[in-house]
Amino acid sequence: MKTFKSVLVVAVVLLTVAFTVKTAESGYQVGDKVDGFKLKNIDNSMVSLSDYNDAKGVIVVFTCNHCPYSKMYEDRIIALDKKYKEKGFPVVAINPNDPAVSAGDDFESMKERAKSKGFTFPYLFDDGQKVYPKFGATRTPHVFVLNKEKADNFLVSYIGAIDNNARDAASADEFYVEDAVNNLLAGKKPATTSTKAIGCSIKVAK
């Protein structure tokens, strides 16, 4: 009986440790400070988070070229940038996919996609896939609204989907990102801080 109890205690401890490790490695949570990053933009310039120290925050969107869900949301992402850039919350898009695994998500194709759609925001390439794991992004698109408290201090305020209807923008009636940014602009915390991101899984070499 004592042996069984000992084994049970060890099993519980191991499960607890495993859960803790998984949580720690799952990426940023709401309220976390975001580490700086520096990635290549489609115009070949390097863009870093610190470039936005004069902004009130940043709408970081992990997206890509090929995913049908990303394509469904492209016009809405452009609209978010146009609506909130001048208010202090510009969009920064990041392609997290490995182009060796995901055909059409290479850097040159990113340039072509951005030009054809008329992207009004930086479209960065996560070369080596070092940034998206820190955020904990799992889908394209996956949004992280960052609120700047002071210089070089961006905190995660919202994580998840753009709205509640990927397939039909006109039928969406919950606008998670807009609501989050509007609350932050009003000096309030977002009423909804996280939702489930709906989209394609991020492509990584096995």
Side-chain angles (χ1 to χ4, degrees):
M1 189 66 178
K2 288 183 178 180
T3 301
F4 175 78
K5 287 183 177 179
S6 298
V7 171
L8 184 61
V9 169
V10 170
V12 170
V13 170
L14 288 174
L15 284 171
T16 302
V17 170
F19 179 78
T20 303
V21 170
K22 184 178 180 181
T23 301
E25 294 179 348
S26 64
Y28 298 129
Q29 304 298 313
V30 171
D32 286 351
K33 179 182 177 181
V34 175
D35 293 335
F37 59 79
K38 193 171 187 177
L39 297 172
K40 190 175 182 180
N41 190 17
I42 49 172
D43 64 359
N44 295 313
S45 67
M46 299 301 292
V47 174
S48 64
L49 187 58
S50 61
D51 292 337
Y52 295 89
N53 279 337
D54 291 335
K56 296 177 182 178
V58 180
I59 302 170
V60 176
V61 184
F62 289 91
T63 188
C64 66
N65 296 339
H66 88 283
C67 173
Y69 288 92
S70 291
K71 291 178 180 179
M72 290 175 199
Y73 273 112
E74 282 175 329
D75 290 339
R76 280 173 270 185
I77 295 170
I78 293 170
L80 283 171
D81 186 57
K82 289 181 177 179
K83 182 173 183 177
Y84 291 110
K85 183 188 297 181
E86 298 304 318
K87 296 180 180 180
F89 276 85
V91 165
V92 173
I94 301 175
N95 175 11
N97 284 339
D98 183 341
V101 179
S102 182
D105 277 326
D106 59 278
F107 190 65
E108 290 304 315
S109 295
M110 288 173 60
K111 291 181 179 180
E112 293 171 9
R113 188 69 186 175
K115 183 178 180 180
S116 67
K117 290 297 298 183
F119 284 180
T120 56
F121 44 80
Y123 188 22
L124 313 180
F125 179 48
D126 188 5
D127 192 12
Q129 299 184 301
K130 298 176 181 177
V131 173
Y132 92 81
K134 287 188 175 184
F135 276 83
T138 59
R139 301 282 170 182
T140 53
H142 203 157
V143 183
F144 294 75
V145 176
L146 312 183
N147 186 45
K148 194 192 73 181
E149 288 205 336
K150 55 184 179 180
D152 291 320
N153 192 26
F154 289 86
L155 304 182
V156 179
S157 295
Y158 168 80
I159 302 172
I162 291 173
D163 57 36
N164 68 341
N165 199 317
R167 297 185 182 279
D168 184 9
S171 296
D173 55 12
E174 293 184 68
F175 306 96
Y176 308 123
V177 172
E178 288 194 35
D179 290 345
V181 176
N182 287 338
N183 272 291
L184 291 170
L185 287 170
K188 304 175 184 177
K189 291 184 178 180
T192 299
T193 56
S194 64
T195 59
K196 182 179 180 180
I198 304 297
C200 304
S201 60
I202 291 174
K203 303 301 184 287
V204 183
K206 296 181 180 179

